[in-house]
Amino acid sequence: MASSSNRTAPRAHGAYDLLVVGAGFAGSVFARRAAEELGQRVLVVDRRPHIAGNAHDEVDEHGVLCHTYGPHIFHTNAPAVQAFLSRFTEWRPYEHRVLAEVDGRFVPVPVNRTTVNELYGLQIATEADMQDFLDARAESFAEVKDSEQAVVSKVGRDLYERLFRGYTRKQWALDPTDLHASVCARIPIRLSDDDRYFTDTFQAMPAAGYTAMFASMLDHPNIDVQVGTDHHEVAAEARAPLTVWTGPIDEFFDHRFGALPYRSLRFERETRRTPGGGLAQPVAQVNYNNERIPFTRVTEFRHLTGQVAESSTLAYEFPTADGDPYYPIPRPQNRELYHRYEALAKQRHDVLFLGRLARYQYLNMDQVVAGSLQAFERFAADGRGARTAPPLAA
Ligand code: FAD
Ligand code: UDP
């Protein structure tokens, strides 16, 4: 059973068909399919002391299930992704809701009718009236070039300044004018009073948590897992015909063109007593746009997990320049640098580069799973998926 404490001694040189670097979604999905469908012998390594990558969760000292690297909410419109993951977990239906603190009030994000009515003391009741309200404030641009314009073109400058500018400047240490439009465009604008953060057809959390789902995915006789192990520790002895690399692409090439910039986070936890199983916040996540407040958002995990307990743990997120590479930073110059690494990657027929760090893309979990499923399909179809390692001893 592959658990977060699992360590297997790597087999001898030539014993593996596939070396997977990174036990997150990108690596684990590929590993499972190669092991199961092609009978490949797979070694998965991760330098962290656990599986599940950034989706890792574990019970803290207060008995509360927490997400180690910030809140992870699963949502997808892709039936193939849902079907694949559903083999390894039951689901708990969960729809994410977020409030933003604005001048002492708490209003829904994404912006919807309630947000506008509360901030401006209005009683807009129809989608048509909401559209008129926004149209009267939105500014038009010949071509939306950055994250400021992405928001101002939809809701105007006042809502942008009250809900987006400060949060974005804290999160990215960049003004929204210096950030690709796609970053703030992740947040839709609603004409209705729908206050759900996502509208995907499938929104749910793994019933026993993400780490349990990964343990089940990696639990296959053809898969060995070594956590607490960096790629360079096994690169020589566990060499395989194919490596799936899900770490930072610039690291793979020894940063030879310079380091790709990543944004990181520091998490501070607070546990409150909640007698009778109560909750500390009205919703799972509260955002803080005010730049005088050093954190961006506070998440209360028990909203996500549905766990009932006498304590509740919250995580405050402080964006940082240093630390684990969590967010590729979408800017044209970074994309250009990535393309130089990508050109090198294309010449490496012995390595597949998959996932958020290897593609240097701001991808959600379901997009990473979809990418790995598709990469596996191509790999299996082009005939490179033959088993090369000796079969398992009975
Ligand atoms: P990762 O999960 O980062 O896995 C890569 C693994 O490779 C890591 O565990 C790393 O330790 C390992 N590794 C790297 N280099 C080496 C090496 N040299 N040797 C050994 N191991 C190595 N997505 C959503 O859909 N919903 C959300 O709510 C959501 N919230 C998020 C919140 C935060 C704070 C962050 C940062 C991301 C969030 N995401 C969310 C995105 C989600 O985390 C990613 O889409 C997903 O985890 C990417 O999976 P991956 O396998 O590509 O990368
Ligand atoms: N954002 C913002 N205010 C908010 C929520 C989001 O300005 O209240 C911006 C911010 O730049 C953020 C981006 O929108 O990085 C995407 O938000 P999302 O919630 O998708 O961020 P993630 O969960 O990926 O950190």
Side-chain angles (χ1 to χ4, degrees):
M1 172 88 175
S3 72
S4 45
S5 61
N6 191 11
R7 287 192 64 125
T8 351
R11 287 157 205 273
H13 178 84
Y16 292 105
D17 304 298
L18 175 63
L19 172 61
V20 175
V21 181
F25 276 103
S28 301
V29 167
F30 198 99
R32 177 71 189 210
R33 291 200 65 183
E36 190 168 65
E37 295 172 43
L38 303 175
Q40 290 206 319
R41 304 299 321 284
V42 185
L43 175 63
V44 180
V45 296
D46 201 300
R47 63 181 163 206
R48 287 171 167 162
H50 57 71
I51 59 172
N54 279 348
H56 180 256
D57 51 17
E58 66 187 342
V59 172
D60 71 5
E61 66 272 30
H62 306 281
V64 180
L65 182 63
C66 297
H67 294 182
T68 314
Y69 305 102
H72 276 71
I73 296 101
F74 190 80
H75 54 100
T76 191
N77 287 315
V81 169
Q82 181 188 341
F84 181 77
L85 295 179
S86 298
R87 293 181 49 208
F88 310 107
T89 187
E90 301 289 320
W91 297 97
R92 165 183 188 261
Y94 170 74
E95 291 182 325
H96 196 49
R97 286 183 169 76
V98 176
L99 292 175
E101 193 265 359
V102 181
D103 305 328
R105 287 171 197 267
F106 292 88
V107 295
V109 174
V111 170
N112 69 4
R113 280 208 303 261
T114 313
T115 315
V116 166
N117 286 339
E118 291 197 6
L119 287 179
Y120 297 98
L122 299 172
Q123 287 176 334
I124 298 172
T126 67
E127 299 203 357
D129 286 351
M130 178 70 172
Q131 188 65 65
D132 288 346
F133 174 92
L134 296 176
D135 286 348
R137 285 154 186 84
E139 294 176 20
S140 59
F141 302 94
E143 182 199 349
V144 170
K145 290 203 198 71
D146 56 52
S147 262
E148 176 177 296
Q149 293 181 352
V151 181
V152 172
S153 64
K154 289 189 232 158
V155 301
R157 205 154 283 277
D158 190 55
L159 280 170
Y160 160 73
E161 281 175 5
R162 295 222 235 173
L163 290 162
F164 288 88
R165 188 163 181 271
Y167 186 112
T168 300
R169 286 167 60 91
K170 287 191 285 185
Q171 172 72 13
W172 299 96
L174 288 171
D175 194 82
T177 50
D178 290 323
L179 208 49
H180 195 274
S182 60
V183 175
C184 284
R186 280 170 63 86
I187 313 298
I189 308 299
R190 303 259 165 75
L191 300 178
S192 66
D193 55 9
D194 185 349
D195 64 347
R196 295 172 306 156
Y197 207 63
F198 307 109
T199 51
D200 298 40
T201 50
F202 184 72
Q203 306 186 41
M205 300 291 287
Y210 287 98
T211 307
M213 178 177 77
F214 275 83
S216 168
M217 202 186 308
L218 292 168
D219 183 16
H220 188 281
N222 285 350
I223 302 178
D224 289 343
V225 179
Q226 263 199 285
V227 293
T229 306
D230 196 284
H231 171 244
H232 69 74
E233 295 173 56
V234 296
E237 58 182 314
R239 194 176 292 280
L242 181 75
T243 296
V244 167
W245 177 268
T246 76
I249 189 167
D250 50 335
E251 179 185 320
F252 183 87
F253 293 108
D254 299 323
H255 306 103
R256 74 175 71 163
F257 302 132
L260 278 164
Y262 296 92
R263 194 72 178 143
S264 193
L265 295 170
R266 178 170 58 81
F267 301 99
E268 266 182 34
R269 290 209 190 144
E270 178 194 349
T271 301
R272 298 191 196 159
R273 288 280 303 143
T274 50
L279 289 155
Q281 292 187 161
V283 290
Q285 183 182 321
V286 179
N287 289 356
Y288 295 86
N289 181 57
N290 189 327
E291 283 186 78
R292 285 193 297 277
I293 298 172
F295 46 85
T296 49
R297 59 185 180 186
V298 181
T299 304
E300 184 173 15
F301 293 110
R302 280 183 35 227
H303 279 280
L304 311 180
T305 59
Q307 187 184 6
V308 178
E310 296 287 303
S311 299
S312 194
T313 301
L314 301 95
Y316 293 66
E317 291 181 37
F318 297 80
T320 58
D322 303 319
D324 275 6
Y326 291 140
Y327 292 94
I329 304 179
R331 305 180 77 189
Q333 55 269 56
N334 300 347
R335 208 65 211 149
E336 272 170 38
L337 181 54
Y338 165 74
H339 285 315
R340 297 182 68 193
Y341 285 112
E342 189 190 31
L344 291 181
K346 283 191 174 144
Q347 290 161 20
R348 291 297 299 258
H349 298 294
D350 57 336
V351 185
L352 280 179
F353 294 85
L354 297 180
R356 180 145 143 148
L357 300 172
R359 307 302 293 263
Y360 197 66
Q361 261 182 30
Y362 190 2
L363 299 171
N364 290 329
M365 293 181 280
D366 66 322
Q367 296 172 299
V368 170
V369 173
S372 268
L373 293 177
Q374 285 157 14
F376 174 78
E377 302 285 348
R378 285 195 298 274
F379 169 66
D382 78 4
R384 284 195 297 150
R387 205 185 64 209
T388 52
L392 267 182

